[in-house]
Amino acid sequence: LSYSDMNNDGVVAPPQGSVVFSDGFESASGWDGSGASWGHSVTEFDQDRVQEGSYSARIYAPKGQSRVAHSNEWVSISNSEPTEYRYSGWAYSESPVIRLGLAMKEDGETGYLTLFDDIRLYNPLNEWVYVEKYVTVPAHITSLNLRLECAAWGSKVGNVWWDDVKIEVVSGSEIVEENNYYPFGLKH
């Protein structure tokens, strides 16, 4: 962790976020693939396995495949300079790999997306885990979208339940950089 007490008050302040998109899946709607040029809908809105509230979004991946779902909503943003965002969510996995992604488009983009950033977790099996990542979004990006993925590689099949996913614009952080590493030295 690298930090700087920029205002010299003796306290290193964590980033404060302002939510630009949030979905706890409580409406049990959306995420049907509309608005995305590639991807699937969530498999179902599930009441049996939730982190909070009444519903989560379950994604099922058949053996040897991965399945991706996008939010129906592209969130419009307008930044005059590169701006830090945090995207996050809770996941419960029976699958060997989960992935939460942030898709970014610039104005007039006609392809799948302009930029992409993601978080991947390997073998986070059978427990709820919280994932989050900070990313600097360039000023030319005008819309954001979340992408949920379940990967069932090799002979495994899997389900991943997602809950309370969000995108926040971050301000006021005195934390400059944070890095996490696997026990064998590879960066998360």
Side-chain angles (χ1 to χ4, degrees):
L1 181 69
S2 301
Y3 59 89
S4 175
D5 184 12
M6 294 175 203
N7 61 2
N8 295 316
D9 67 354
V11 176
V12 176
Q16 302 299 313
S18 174
V19 177
V20 295
F21 173 83
S22 178
D23 197 342
F25 305 105
E26 297 308 302
S27 69
S29 63
W31 300 87
D32 61 14
S34 62
S37 55
W38 184 84
H40 303 93
S41 62
V42 298
T43 305
E44 74 171 329
F45 295 98
D46 193 344
Q47 291 182 297
D48 295 328
R49 181 161 287 143
V50 296
Q51 168 62 24
E52 183 177 274
S54 300
Y55 290 95
S56 65
R58 181 175 70 88
I59 300 175
Y60 169 76
K63 182 167 88 172
Q65 299 180 25
S66 64
R67 189 159 191 92
V68 174
H70 290 267
S71 165
N72 290 4
E73 181 181 349
W74 280 88
V75 178
S76 294
I77 61 171
S78 177
N79 298 311
S80 59
E81 59 187 32
T83 304
E84 189 173 29
Y85 284 79
R86 172 177 49 215
Y87 61 102
S88 62
W90 285 92
Y92 185 100
S93 181
E94 294 174 348
S95 172
V97 180
I98 62 171
R99 188 173 175 196
L100 176 63
L102 181 66
M104 300 172 257
K105 281 189 176 184
E106 62 188 4
D107 194 33
E109 174 65 65
T110 58
Y112 174 51
L113 48 84
T114 305
L115 295 171
F116 185 73
D117 191 85
D118 70 340
I119 307 165
R120 294 178 194 206
L121 286 180
Y122 298 92
N123 296 313
L125 300 174
N126 303 315
E127 65 179 346
W128 283 101
V129 293
Y130 180 73
V131 295
E132 74 174 5
K133 188 170 181 185
Y134 293 85
V135 62
T136 300
V137 175
H140 70 280
I141 296 299
T142 59
S143 59
L144 305 172
N145 187 282
L146 280 180
R147 172 178 150 162
L148 312 176
E149 185 173 347
C150 171
W153 293 343
S155 62
K156 302 209 178 218
V157 296
N159 287 292
V160 174
W161 289 263
W162 290 95
D163 209 350
D164 298 323
V165 295
K166 67 175 87 170
I167 303 170
E168 301 168 276
V169 63
V170 178
S171 62
S173 177
E174 293 179 318
I175 296 173
V176 177
E177 182 179 18
E178 179 181 1
N179 294 302
N180 295 288
Y181 297 87
Y182 290 103
F184 50 84
L186 183 65
K187 188 175 177 181
H188 277 189

